[in-house]
Amino acid sequence: MIEADQVVKHFGDVHALNGITLSVDEGEIFGLLGPNGAGKTTLVRILATLLKPTSGRCTLGGIDPHRDPMAVRALIGLAGQNAAVDDLLTGRENLEIVGRLYQLDRAEARRRADDILERLSLTDAADRQVRTYSGGMRRRIDLGASLVGRPRILILDEPTTGLDPRTRNELWQLIRDLVSDGATVLLTTQYLEEADELADRLAVIDLGHIIAEGTPDELKERLGGDRLMASPTEPDDMARVVSILEQVGATAPYVDDRRQQASIPVTNRIEALLAAGQLFENEQIALRDLAVTRPSLDDVFLSITGKRAETDEPEPAAAGRKGRRR
Amino acid sequence: MKAGTTPTTATAGVTGSQLGAPVRAGATGPRNRSTFGRFVSDTLTMTRRNVLYLVRRPQVIVFALISPIMFVSLFNFVFGGSLDVPGLSYANYLIPGIMVQTVMFGGSNTAVGLAEDMTRGVIDRFRSLPMSRLAVLSGRTMADAMRGIITNSVIIVMGFVIGFRFNNGFGWAVASFLLVLLFGYSITWFYAWMGLSLGNVEAVQAASFLPAFPLTFAASTFAPVENMPGWLQVFSAHQPVTQVVDATRAMMQGGEIAGPLVRSLLWCAGIMLVFGFLSVRQYRKG
């Protein structure tokens, strides 16, 4: 449904995209995971007909967004990271105006606005100006605006960036509900948890390259599956802890001195945990913690890129904007 | 696939039943429209959006009403006594000038409004919709021209208070009003281009008054061009504001209409064509 083939975008000396190739099937939720400045928004803008690639080709529903932008625009719904709604208009007016711009007649635009408001639980706030909305409500109305045209492809650019955890969870639920009927979704996010929650398949993007691709589980597999982690109460016991882990694990344990813990990949998590527990018991080593951990996507990201995923800073909006206008 | 034939039935499921509200699939899909039909309909929609913005920023309306009242009073009472204008009372001389000056300065709202839209990301939404691209601009200029109707009406009312009268018949009075609006509309395209090119609200606010000052003051707006130094007359006698002010004044008070009116209309057409073209190009580039 969405194909990108060697898409390159340079803004002068800034190489935002360095040959992105990806393919999203119909009905799939595809996550594009990456830190700030990875090129996610640039790719979204190219797919959404807002930006021309320097080279490479892409199609949505078989249509090239730069050969026939109007046809692609009729196919997609875009919800951007900036909550692109009109503050001084009410929620209903926002949706109605978008409906009218989809060439719907007045009555149909109104009907769709009402439907969407109800499904987004915004009916009570429908006639209030958007500037009075909370952050979560703004994201919902923005999402709603992207649904007015009943898009077959929904492009969500960082739909929950900046929201508190509870609001984020609500929005995730909403997105799952909205797409459960077969729309194709391209979702960008810098939250590993979000990609894990929503995406059927995902690509990790960094510095304009796709550096890994697969289902969330496949990507976790790449780290070697489960790890057994133990940390002694007494720092002096660390050497003994390491020697016990060596007996239950397959390779050399990894010791994190700062956190005072050691870990080792294991093939059978339950067996390894029970065996290690027995050995610690026999050796009389006091432990602060003993656990089997599954690698998080954060670990995946760390292991591929050698750095932590940045989630704290907002996207460098100013730079991005400059780039898009020149 | 043609732009107008969005697959409604196939996609109805997207907005599906999950949250309870059944969607009337395919009841009324997007209509097939010609490019021009789409342009007209989208322009009206965007005009409505921008008029709602005007209405909901009461301070903008208030200032738009106060500044002409202030200008009329200041110029009339401060300069009126010392300026000698041939054959007319100063009030009758001044009001057409103030009207043109007001639409000239009012144009900066177009620039600021567009720059604001550009930075708020809402323009990305419009760009991603299957709508006429020109309508984003024409809807903006149209809404701003509508504001001109209000401010110019206030000026005329204020003019009546200080002694202004129409002395050339009702028909020409209406025509003069329309000419001012037309000029105001053309000039919004210049400001649209400026807003899109600068793209940042602060820069636009700082820059937008610059062209308005020389154009409205070095003109027949407040004082006859004949009294200006020769080098300045070269500019002030030929620039558009003088033509429009002269034509408006003649239509309101009598005098030679044809010459300045034709030149005014040519200027309006020229400004609209050049800056309409430049604005659309700038918007597409975005």
Side-chain angles (χ1 to χ4, degrees):
Chain A
M1 200 64 183
I2 304 174
E3 307 283 339
D5 183 23
Q6 288 298 319
V7 173
V8 172
K9 181 70 190 179
H10 294 172
F11 298 105
D13 291 339
V14 181
H15 295 191
L17 297 179
N18 294 304
I20 297 286
T21 300
L22 57 81
S23 169
V24 182
D25 295 334
E26 184 154 10
E28 187 176 39
I29 304 186
F30 190 88
L32 198 60
L33 171 69
N36 294 324
K40 304 186 296 291
T41 298
T42 304
L43 183 62
V44 161
R45 292 176 61 80
I46 287 172
L47 293 173
T49 77
L50 303 178
L51 205 60
K52 279 194 169 64
T54 306
S55 69
R57 225 180 97 79
C58 50
T59 59
L60 291 92
I63 310 164
D64 184 326
H66 305 288
R67 291 250 169 76
D68 194 354
M70 282 303 246
V72 168
R73 287 177 199 141
L75 208 63
I76 62 169
L78 172 68
Q81 54 178 312
N82 301 320
V85 282
D86 277 319
D87 272 353
L88 294 186
L89 306 189
T90 66
R92 176 175 284 123
E93 284 165 350
N94 264 293
L95 298 184
E96 278 178 6
I97 283 176
V98 171
R100 297 286 285 155
L101 295 173
Y102 271 108
Q103 317 302 320
L104 302 175
D105 64 37
R106 208 175 293 274
E108 177 65 11
R110 173 123 198 151
R111 254 199 307 275
R112 285 202 194 175
D114 285 342
D115 280 351
I116 289 169
L117 287 164
E118 193 179 325
R119 285 184 301 119
L120 299 181
S121 317
L122 285 171
T123 304
D124 291 340
D127 295 313
R128 262 166 48 201
Q129 289 180 28
V130 169
R131 68 193 166 92
T132 68
Y133 283 19
S134 67
M137 290 164 79
R138 290 178 64 93
R139 294 303 175 96
R140 295 215 298 272
I141 199 74
D142 185 50
L143 189 61
S146 71
L147 297 173
V148 171
R150 294 184 181 160
R152 282 167 62 196
I153 299 174
L154 199 52
I155 301 177
L156 306 176
D157 190 17
E158 303 200 7
T160 68
T161 298
L163 294 182
D164 64 73
R166 216 195 85 212
T167 316
R168 182 177 299 162
N169 265 311
E170 285 172 8
L171 210 63
W172 285 346
Q173 191 54 48
L174 193 62
I175 292 170
R176 270 189 224 108
D177 288 345
L178 292 171
V179 301
S180 60
D181 296 296
T184 306
V185 180
L186 180 76
L187 165 98
T188 78
T189 181
Q190 44 175 318
Y191 299 116
L192 307 151
E193 195 191 349
E194 183 160 276
D196 203 7
E197 283 278 335
L198 294 176
D200 300 321
R201 221 149 50 82
L202 62 96
V204 182
I205 178 172
D206 191 39
L207 302 173
H209 293 281
I210 286 182
I211 52 176
E213 201 180 337
T215 65
D217 285 338
E218 279 168 9
L219 289 179
K220 288 178 186 175
E221 285 294 311
R222 286 183 46 171
L223 258 193
D226 300 327
R227 295 180 78 86
L228 180 66
M229 183 276 289
S231 77
T233 313
E234 296 298 324
D236 296 344
D237 287 336
M238 185 55 97
R240 293 164 68 202
V241 167
V242 168
S243 77
I244 287 173
L245 289 183
E246 275 170 341
Q247 295 174 44
V248 298
T251 57
Y254 169 77
V255 180
D256 184 338
D257 286 323
R258 196 177 57 80
R259 292 194 194 159
Q260 277 298 307
Q261 58 178 229
S263 65
I264 192 164
V266 291
T267 40
N268 185 321
R269 58 205 309 249
I270 306 294
E271 257 174 39
L273 183 63
L274 291 174
Q278 192 63 55
L279 289 167
F280 284 123
E281 181 81 23
N282 294 348
E283 297 267 332
Q284 299 278 310
I285 301 172
L287 293 179
R288 233 175 352 113
D289 201 0
L290 176 66
V292 176
T293 58
R294 314 207 90 160
S296 69
L297 280 170
D298 208 358
D299 295 324
V300 177
F301 199 83
L302 184 63
S303 78
I304 303 169
T305 66
K307 63 183 187 199
R308 296 235 153 241
E310 299 161 40
T311 50
D312 296 331
E313 294 160 7
E315 285 271 336
R321 220 159 256 132
K322 202 169 199 173
R324 85 167 74 136
R325 196 154 297 126
R326 301 299 139 199
Chain B
M1 187 192 306
K2 286 267 160 47
T5 57
T6 326
T8 14
T9 30
T11 63
V14 175
T15 53
S17 52
Q18 210 66 19
L19 288 169
V23 168
R24 273 157 278 242
T28 336
R31 283 173 292 182
N32 243 322
R33 275 209 165 111
S34 65
T35 310
F36 184 70
R38 189 181 281 251
F39 165 69
V40 172
S41 137
D42 289 349
T43 298
L44 292 176
T45 304
M46 292 305 286
T47 304
R48 172 164 174 248
R49 174 226 179 213
N50 291 318
V51 167
L52 285 172
Y53 254 80
L54 282 178
V55 173
R56 294 195 184 149
R57 276 184 176 154
Q59 67 275 31
V60 174
I61 293 280
V62 168
F63 284 118
L65 297 179
I66 288 177
S67 61
I69 293 175
M70 191 181 71
F71 274 118
V72 170
S73 323
L74 282 178
F75 277 95
N76 186 56
F77 296 120
V78 175
F79 297 126
S82 27
L83 279 174
D84 188 29
V85 293
L88 290 175
S89 74
Y90 193 65
N92 282 343
Y93 187 88
L94 175 68
I95 292 303
I98 292 276
M99 287 171 73
V100 175
Q101 186 214 28
T102 303
V103 296
M104 191 80 203
F105 277 89
S108 64
N109 282 287
T110 306
V112 172
L114 274 175
E116 233 173 41
D117 283 349
M118 299 296 281
T119 48
R120 276 181 326 124
V122 72
I123 215 97
D124 279 355
R125 157 135 297 131
F126 295 137
R127 274 188 221 268
S128 75
L129 292 176
M131 64 177 285
S132 159
R133 308 207 107 185
L134 187 55
V136 172
L137 306 179
S138 57
R140 161 68 60 183
T141 52
M142 192 67 88
D144 287 333
M146 283 175 151
R147 208 178 38 117
I149 298 178
I150 301 172
T151 44
N152 281 303
S153 305
V154 174
I155 294 173
I156 288 172
V157 170
M158 189 59 199
F160 272 87
V161 173
I162 60 160
F164 165 81
R165 295 292 179 270
F166 289 107
N167 291 315
N168 203 24
F170 181 73
W172 282 120
V174 173
S176 67
F177 195 81
L178 292 179
L179 176 65
V180 172
L181 290 183
L182 176 70
F183 178 67
Y185 183 73
S186 330
I187 231 58
T188 57
W189 283 100
F190 164 75
Y191 282 104
W193 170 73
M194 179 189 237
L196 290 168
S197 307
L198 293 177
N200 132 358
V201 179
E202 288 77 19
V204 169
Q205 268 162 348
S208 60
F209 288 106
L210 291 182
F213 270 104
L215 282 169
T216 55
F217 281 84
S220 59
T221 320
F222 307 110
V225 170
E226 296 79 49
N227 300 348
M228 297 173 191
W231 58 268
L232 187 57
Q233 280 191 37
V234 177
F235 168 73
S236 48
H238 297 98
Q239 57 118 326
V241 172
T242 297
Q243 306 303 331
V244 177
V245 170
D246 286 352
T248 309
R249 192 175 284 137
M251 286 193 274
M252 288 175 169
Q253 305 300 339
E256 200 229 321
I257 292 174
L261 180 58
V262 168
R263 286 192 291 275
S264 299
L265 294 176
L266 287 175
W267 269 113
C268 288
I271 292 169
M272 253 190 282
L273 275 176
V274 170
F275 290 102
F277 171 77
L278 290 177
S279 302
V280 171
R281 206 183 58 165
Q282 190 68 32
Y283 180 72
R284 291 227 160 111
K285 244 200 261 176

